[in-house]
Amino acid sequence: MIENVGKNSSNPLLHSSKLFFSVRQSCPKNRVSRTKTHNCRSFSSSEASLRSDRLCASIAPSPSFQFPSPASANMVLEATMVCMDNSEWMRNGDYVPTRFQAQADAINLICGAKTQSNPENTVGVLTMAGKGPRVLITPTNDLGKILQALHGLEVGGEMSMISGVQVAQLALKHRQNKHQRQRIVLFAGSPVLSEKKTLESMGKKLKKNNVALDIVSFGEDDGEKVEKLEALLNAVNSNDNSHIVHIPGGDRVLSDVLISSSIFTGDGEGGSGFAAAAAASAAAAAVGGGGGAYDFGVDPNLDPELALALRVSMEEERARQEAAMKRSAEDSTAKGQQAGESSSVPDVAMSDAAPVKITDKSSDMMIDDDTALLEQALAMSMAEAAQAAAAAGGGAAVTDTSMAESGGDDQDLAYALQMSMQEAAAAATAAQGSADVNQVLGDQSFVSSVLSSLPGVDPNDPSVRDVLASLQAEEEEKNEDQAGKDKSK
Amino acid sequence: MASCLHQHDCEEHECAGDWSLFKNIDIPGVTALNEAIEESAKSVFKPWEQRLDLSTVLASNDDDPELIVFIPFTTDVKIKSICIIGGVDGSSPSKMRAFLNREDIDFSQANDLTPIQEWELAENIRGELEYTTKYAKFQGVASVTLHFPQNFGANATRLHYIGFRGEATKVRSLLSRPSSLIRVDWRNFPS
């Protein structure tokens, strides 16, 4: 997956779409255990539709816009051991198609999610039933190896949860990168035979060694199981790093329920883009809601690549506009430049919109939505360009010729220039007003008459005279400077 | 197991200069096992002047007085002595075992391995005691792991301050942990 990224251009939107598509492509190939590509297909199509929904809402920046740093996205470095239940109880068909297959799918998803959220994450798998716990693969970040290890597994025997978790702990202890946090994901499908106290002490031991535990409780339920597992969770849990999910049987697919659960979304601020986007599709289907009221309408947790790309392009746009404003404000004879700036700003908007167009063309579902979106984006940027031009219009003498030049471009631009002219006029009158005031002050006789009319001020008072003298001296100095300047010109 | 007493008034004498190893501690890299509050281990590393500030606490989980603290340094150091200020009412640790330059000490290993040095601690709420090290063994230290197996009878162990005295070298050995390096966000890579 990462190799694909390397061949791309530096555009973040392209980058994100390539990642997304490479995941799509790798999914069916690696489906070793199921003929039905149910999960994969549903994710891709629904994610595509979700993306188009999000794009509709995304172009208009919300007033509460902020720039979260990229580092705030979930990048927890973690080593995970998945404990799989391959006991006889897994032959049951109350999950689609069998409990074991559903479990295998869920494990595929978890591995994918973990490795995608941080490429240095490692995942390992062990089975608990049979002769004893058997480590299928030690923690690795190679998804292909993990999926291969899950191939050709057999069901049988009884599960021993305690020893399974202990072996998992040992495997994590010997992880290569000691800076990774430790996590165990336990699939508890068969009845729990251990005592509650034993489970609690095991939980405490895990907590003591900083190991987090996620429990997926499904399959058999003999009444005590839930209680025991909850007790185990309470013993392990430290600052909410551990979670439990109960999945009853029936029509629902185990993986889908798991995705929307806290195990995927509960690590820190959210799960990976891959799994969480799938979660969003499942949630959206059920609830009918969208991505929520986030910046750009894209939940950074659900789709960090898209959110990042949008954020980056907005940032670039604003930076360019600010630079444009500064440049045109500084330049006093800015009339040609103003026209230039205003026309360059829509160019920039176009170029930003263009990558959106390119990526979306590659997905059939999105074209119609995006032409509408592009027009919307352009209109927005025009309006912003108009604002920028208006704000930058202070002090410039915009003549009718410049209006005629750019009048051909766009109605909005013409209006913007008109506004800027008005502002310039206003600024000029303001400047003139202050100049008048200075002149008035300089007129000494007027000043003294005013002062004499003021109660308590005696124009013959020496201090008052000093002030007047200083005012006059300033006025003279100014005049001299002006004369000097004119001479030097 | 040697200790020495500060019988002078520290403010006048500038003992602070001797505890310069505080600046060499890689505080973001400090981790602890069995701490009740995550990341609380970092708070007990403070300058010498603030050693008596009892507001910073590293407490173990209730009913379990064992603590392991892993302290990496930014450069290799030579440790002369260690100062530990524990809590009141028996929550001060009674024993300390040190391991050097190992990142993988957890409770099972700590109990199996022989430490470089062991000390019997006293309740040291005013921070007047220092525990000197066998200096020859504490040369070229990139990281030290302290294991506190017992306390003076309380349910949980509490520490308020851990300080090191010694010399810092300018050398950074391969064993030292590069936690001060910038975490590279792989998404920032161009193409």
Side-chain angles (χ1 to χ4, degrees):
Chain A
M1 283 192 272
I2 308 298
E3 292 83 54
N4 281 348
V5 172
K7 294 177 197 154
N8 287 342
S9 71
S10 58
N11 186 301
L13 274 172
L14 264 178
H15 162 101
S16 69
S17 74
K18 278 285 180 185
L19 262 180
F20 163 67
F21 284 115
S22 64
V23 167
R24 257 176 90 196
Q25 284 153 21
S26 68
C27 207
K29 270 187 236 161
N30 286 317
R31 276 257 171 255
V32 289
S33 55
R34 288 183 54 171
T35 51
K36 189 168 118 182
T37 58
H38 158 82
N39 287 340
C40 207
R41 225 186 283 134
S42 72
F43 298 158
S44 53
S45 59
S46 48
E47 167 158 3
S49 64
L50 200 66
R51 277 194 175 207
S52 65
D53 289 337
R54 285 198 214 118
L55 275 170
C56 287
S58 71
I59 301 299
S62 65
S64 60
F65 178 74
Q66 21 168 326
F67 289 130
S69 68
S72 69
N74 184 33
M75 293 282 287
V76 175
L77 188 57
E78 213 170 45
T80 310
M81 272 306 284
V82 179
C83 298
M84 201 171 168
D85 184 357
N86 61 335
S87 63
E88 281 287 346
W89 302 94
M90 294 297 107
R91 286 194 205 273
N92 198 331
D94 55 354
Y95 294 80
V96 179
T98 64
R99 284 181 185 173
F100 188 68
Q101 292 286 14
Q103 198 187 173
D105 276 342
I107 293 177
N108 288 348
L109 271 175
I110 291 181
C111 297
K114 297 277 180 201
T115 47
Q116 189 156 1
S117 80
N118 184 333
E120 287 189 52
N121 280 348
T122 55
V123 185
V125 183
L126 62 79
T127 54
M128 292 190 282
K131 286 188 196 160
R134 183 165 76 100
V135 176
L136 299 175
I137 185 144
T138 54
T140 169
N141 60 353
D142 186 347
L143 190 60
K145 274 198 204 148
I146 300 170
L147 295 172
Q148 197 179 6
L150 290 173
H151 182 56
L153 287 174
E154 289 189 356
V155 178
E158 284 282 342
M159 171 181 90
S160 46
M161 188 185 289
I162 303 274
S163 44
V165 171
Q166 282 173 343
V167 171
Q169 204 180 341
L170 200 62
L172 284 173
K173 183 172 151 180
H174 292 290
R175 65 195 186 285
Q176 295 210 305
N177 182 354
K178 301 286 178 202
H179 304 152
Q180 288 168 328
R181 295 182 176 231
Q182 303 173 72
R183 180 174 292 270
I184 298 178
V185 179
L186 174 63
F187 280 85
S190 43
V192 177
L193 301 172
S194 321
E195 289 291 324
K196 193 166 156 188
K197 283 221 171 96
T198 339
L199 289 173
E200 276 180 353
S201 65
M202 180 176 83
K204 277 196 190 151
K205 194 160 163 247
L206 288 174
K207 180 161 146 184
K208 193 165 168 180
N209 285 299
N210 267 354
V211 181
L213 178 65
D214 288 337
I215 308 174
V216 181
S217 164
F218 67 108
E220 293 299 311
D221 185 7
D222 55 358
E224 287 185 346
K225 183 174 169 185
V226 173
E227 200 191 314
K228 285 180 182 174
L229 292 177
E230 292 275 355
L232 173 60
L233 184 82
N234 288 333
V236 178
N237 201 357
S238 128
N239 293 338
D240 259 349
N241 61 353
S242 305
H243 318 95
I244 185 168
V245 180
H246 300 280
I247 306 179
D251 293 336
R252 285 186 291 179
V253 181
L254 186 110
S255 325
D256 285 346
V257 177
L258 194 59
I259 289 159
S260 53
S261 75
S262 56
I263 290 185
F264 277 96
T265 57
D267 351 302
E269 290 122 38
S272 69
F274 169 73
S281 68
V287 174
Y294 293 97
D295 320 327
F296 307 124
V298 175
D299 181 1
N301 298 328
L302 291 183
D303 202 339
E305 291 102 359
L306 186 58
L308 183 69
L310 287 166
R311 195 192 318 134
V312 165
S313 53
M314 270 303 297
E315 209 174 328
E316 282 175 3
E317 177 62 32
R318 286 194 178 207
R320 250 180 247 117
Q321 282 189 9
E322 276 171 34
M325 272 166 57
K326 271 186 208 162
R327 257 179 288 151
S328 48
E330 282 167 12
D331 196 355
S332 57
T333 57
K335 65 170 173 141
Q337 207 171 13
Q338 264 193 6
E341 290 304 340
S342 349
S343 56
S344 71
V345 164
D347 286 343
V348 156
M350 277 293 299
S351 63
D352 277 343
V356 177
K357 211 172 183 174
I358 293 170
T359 59
D360 298 332
K361 268 192 177 141
S362 55
S363 152
D364 296 327
M365 315 246 337
M366 303 205 237
I367 287 182
D368 294 333
D369 297 319
D370 284 320
T371 44
L373 294 171
L374 279 172
E375 283 165 27
Q376 208 178 344
L378 281 171
M380 275 255 349
S381 57
M382 291 301 180
E384 287 194 5
Q387 279 180 17
V398 181
T399 64
D400 287 337
T401 51
S402 77
M403 283 238 351
E405 267 175 44
S406 48
D409 281 346
D410 199 356
Q411 284 274 343
D412 292 333
L413 278 176
Y415 179 62
L417 285 166
Q418 215 175 14
M419 274 179 57
S420 68
M421 270 179 63
Q422 287 174 0
E423 269 200 31
T429 51
Q432 212 178 16
S434 62
D436 288 336
V437 169
N438 280 338
Q439 275 182 355
V440 161
L441 276 177
D443 194 350
Q444 200 180 6
S445 56
F446 180 67
V447 169
S448 54
S449 65
V450 165
L451 282 176
S452 59
S453 67
L454 285 172
V457 176
D458 185 5
N460 295 324
D461 194 8
S463 53
V464 173
R465 270 203 192 157
D466 287 343
V467 170
L468 284 176
S470 66
L471 268 177
Q472 208 179 21
E474 269 186 57
E475 194 49 43
E476 281 173 13
E477 263 187 52
K478 243 196 263 177
N479 290 336
E480 273 179 34
D481 286 341
Q482 274 288 330
K485 271 190 196 162
D486 291 337
K487 272 189 192 167
S488 61
K489 279 184 190 166
Chain B
M1 299 205 278
S3 60
C4 72
L5 229 46
H6 272 257
Q7 278 163 340
H8 46 256
D9 189 355
C10 276
E11 281 75 27
E12 291 165 359
H13 179 75
E14 285 193 20
C15 283
D18 294 338
W19 293 90
S20 59
L21 287 185
F22 164 69
K23 297 194 194 84
N24 296 76
I25 300 178
D26 177 19
I27 299 204
V30 168
T31 59
L33 288 183
N34 203 30
E35 55 180 350
I37 303 172
E38 220 175 301
E39 311 281 321
S40 58
K42 300 182 177 149
S43 63
V44 299
F45 295 97
K46 339 174 250 207
W48 171 250
E49 294 83 28
Q50 297 168 19
R51 71 195 180 283
L52 298 175
D53 176 13
L54 298 182
S55 62
T56 61
V57 182
L58 164 59
S60 71
N61 281 315
D62 283 340
D63 297 332
D64 198 348
E66 282 194 75
L67 266 180
I68 289 183
V69 187
F70 169 76
I71 304 133
F73 294 95
T74 53
T75 61
D76 282 7
V77 296
K78 307 178 191 186
I79 303 181
K80 272 194 220 153
S81 57
I82 308 178
C83 177
I84 306 281
I85 298 185
V88 294
D89 291 336
S91 60
S92 202
S94 58
K95 260 190 162 171
M96 178 165 72
R97 307 160 85 231
F99 302 88
L100 296 184
N101 296 332
R102 292 194 69 136
E103 287 192 333
D104 56 347
I105 304 284
D106 63 356
F107 287 100
S108 53
Q109 283 226 290
N111 286 313
D112 291 340
L113 292 174
T114 342
I116 301 284
Q117 192 171 352
E118 268 193 73
W119 293 265
E120 300 278 342
L121 305 181
E123 291 194 79
N124 181 23
I125 192 71
R126 275 181 301 204
E128 291 164 340
L129 287 179
E130 288 168 39
Y131 304 96
T132 45
T133 62
K134 293 176 190 163
Y135 195 48
K137 297 196 179 169
F138 281 76
Q139 310 276 312
V141 176
S143 72
V144 66
T145 308
L146 296 176
H147 173 217
F148 303 97
Q150 302 158 8
N151 63 11
F152 284 101
N155 267 348
T157 303
R158 295 162 68 90
L159 290 173
H160 292 289
Y161 172 74
I162 300 179
F164 296 96
R165 185 143 79 127
E167 272 172 48
T169 65
K170 299 256 190 259
V171 174
R172 194 215 201 117
S173 79
L174 292 170
L175 292 170
S176 66
R177 178 175 186 251
S179 68
S180 50
L181 291 179
I182 298 166
R183 275 271 167 94
V184 179
D185 186 341
W186 56 277
R187 281 180 281 200
N188 286 338
F189 280 133
S191 64

